[in-house]
């Protein structure tokens, strides 16, 4: 069995990876209780003990607002920690998969699906630290795979961390339990996490570099919400209550929409589009629950 270290193993992505591959990989799960990633001596000791062939680094401070207010903490966790981890992987000859973020594109004024080589100028602390972390990781470990992940969600699963996000918001709105206002001047992919988890073995074989990773989406966030609410069976009365938020991003349209051609070509992983991803999540939920989602 392949020896694999998963950081953030009690988190949203890491926990699902550990559950998915527990029978196929010899996993050393590391979370914030087991390991302080800012303690580089402890990281060195943990990796020496595990002797991994593959390290999947999902741990992060992912709350962009928190990072904005605590930039030093974000610097230590989101930038210095993955850079140090990359050095350890290079020394061990281990493959590293580093979860970056679509937030590196926050501030890019080009519209349409963005390729990995578009000029970047992130406007928030989290995006800047993730972008610099990619560069530091690849300097130390050129064979590392940096995945720029989109916004991801899932339905609740027993024993795994909940982060329903987009899914939960739309379910409540479709049931008439809350009004909904979604950004009109924003474009971004939104992805059901399960296909990402299932594709990890393939993505870990990619050549070193940066890859956009998630469902593509040509629609703005408001139009995306309307399409997905329709899949949930929301009636005209509910759809009429969904309001386009025109106050957000007044200076220029916020575009985090990614072109994932490089991922598709590199390892054959195609995560589809956001509306199709939502439809697949809906089918899986209905199969699990044996009934309608609302």
């Amino acid at each position: 069995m392949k020896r694999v270290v998963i950081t953030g193993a009690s988190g949203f992505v890491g926990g699902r990876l550990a559950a998915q591959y527990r029978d196929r990989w010899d996993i050393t799960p590391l979370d914030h209780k087991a390991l302080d990633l800012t303690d580089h001596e402890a990281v060195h000791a943990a990796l020496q003990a595990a002797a991994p062939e593959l390290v999947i680094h999902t741990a992060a401070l992912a709350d962009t607002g928190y990072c904005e207010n605590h930039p030093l903490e974000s610097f230590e966790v989101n930038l210095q920690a993955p850079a140090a981890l990359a050095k350890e992987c290079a020394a061990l000859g281990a493959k590293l998969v580093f979860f970056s973020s679509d937030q590196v594109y926050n501030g890019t004024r080009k519209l349409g699906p963005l390729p990995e080589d578009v000029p970047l100028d992130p406007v928030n602390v989290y995006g800047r630290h993730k972008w610099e972390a990619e560069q530091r990781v690849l300097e130390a470990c050129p064979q590392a795979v940096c995945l720029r992940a989109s916004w991801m969600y899932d339905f609740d699963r027993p024993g795994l961390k909940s982060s329903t996000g987009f899914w939960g918001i739309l379910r409540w709105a479709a049931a008439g339990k809350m009004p909904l206002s979604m950004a009109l001047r924003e474009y971004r992919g939104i992805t059901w996490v399960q296909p990402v988890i299932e594709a990890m073995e393939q993505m870990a074989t990619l050549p070193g570099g940066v890859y956009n990773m998630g469902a593509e989406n040509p629609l703005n966030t408001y139009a995306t919400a309307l399409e997905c609410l329709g899949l949930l069976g929301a009636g005209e009365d509910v759809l009429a209550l969904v309001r386009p938020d025109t106050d957000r991003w007044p200076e220029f349209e916020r575009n985090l929409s990614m072109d994932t051609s490089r991922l598709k070509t590199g390892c054959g992983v195609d995560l589809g589009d956001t509306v199709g991803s939502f439809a697949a999540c809906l089918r899986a939920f209905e199969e699990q629950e044996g009934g309608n989602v609302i």
Side-chain angles (χ1 to χ4, degrees):
M1 297 176 75
K2 180 180 289 188
R3 297 184 305 279
V4 180
V5 165
I6 298 175
T7 71
S10 62
F12 176 63
V13 174
R16 283 164 171 75
L17 283 170
Q20 178 77 21
Y21 294 103
R22 61 190 170 197
D23 296 328
R24 301 213 297 273
W25 294 346
D26 177 8
I27 297 174
T28 299
L30 299 175
D31 61 17
H32 64 281
K33 294 179 180 178
L35 180 66
D36 178 0
L37 286 169
T38 66
D39 183 342
H40 298 164
E41 289 185 3
V43 170
H44 174 77
L47 290 187
Q48 287 292 317
E53 299 165 77
L54 171 65
V55 175
I56 306 177
H57 182 50
T58 72
L61 280 177
D63 185 325
T64 57
Y66 184 90
C67 292
E68 209 67 27
N69 293 321
H70 302 82
L72 179 57
E73 193 174 348
S74 175
F75 175 77
E76 292 175 342
V77 175
N78 292 330
L79 199 169
Q80 286 193 318
L85 195 62
K87 291 180 181 178
E88 296 292 341
C89 288
L92 288 167
K95 187 67 174 280
L96 173 62
V97 175
F98 165 55
F99 270 70
S100 185
S101 170
D102 62 0
Q103 286 292 325
V104 301
Y105 295 113
N106 197 342
T108 302
R109 301 204 177 196
K110 181 179 178 181
L111 297 180
L114 300 171
E116 290 85 351
D117 59 356
V118 71
L120 300 178
D121 186 20
V123 295
N124 58 18
V125 166
Y126 180 74
R128 288 195 295 273
H129 286 164
K130 282 292 189 179
W131 182 33
E132 187 171 346
E134 293 175 358
Q135 298 168 64
R136 296 270 298 277
V137 161
L138 289 170
E139 286 172 5
C141 188
Q143 294 308 308
V145 174
C146 300
L147 300 175
R148 289 177 176 167
S150 72
W151 182 13
M152 292 188 286
Y153 63 88
D154 196 8
F155 48 81
D156 286 337
R157 297 175 186 266
L160 297 178
K161 184 175 181 180
S162 175
S163 182
T164 54
F166 185 69
W167 168 262
I169 291 169
L170 293 191
R171 282 191 67 200
W172 276 81
K177 296 180 180 179
M178 63 177 288
L180 192 59
S181 178
M182 303 298 281
L184 184 67
R185 294 172 56 80
E186 175 186 68
Y187 294 84
R188 69 183 309 183
I190 309 171
T191 309
W192 181 31
V193 72
Q194 186 58 30
V196 172
I197 301 301
E198 294 173 0
M200 184 51 60
E201 274 189 308
Q202 288 171 264
M203 292 191 290
T205 67
L206 285 162
V210 177
Y211 298 85
N212 290 334
M213 192 272 294
E216 296 185 341
N217 189 17
L219 305 175
N220 63 50
T221 302
Y222 169 69
T224 301
L226 291 180
E227 289 286 333
C228 293
L229 282 168
L231 292 173
L232 286 171
E236 292 297 326
D237 55 334
V238 169
L239 297 179
L241 296 175
V242 182
R243 298 289 183 239
D245 182 346
T246 57
D247 294 330
R248 299 179 72 189
W249 329 119
E251 295 182 6
F252 59 92
E253 290 180 306
R254 184 190 197 217
N255 183 28
L256 310 182
S257 177
M258 297 187 293
D259 178 348
T260 62
S261 299
R262 189 169 189 228
L263 180 70
K264 296 172 190 173
T265 302
C267 65
V269 170
D270 185 349
L271 297 169
D273 63 77
T274 289
V275 176
S277 181
F278 191 86
C281 181
L282 174 58
R283 289 192 298 271
F285 179 85
E286 289 175 338
E287 289 174 6
Q288 173 183 287
E289 299 298 319
N292 196 280
V293 69
I294 300 177

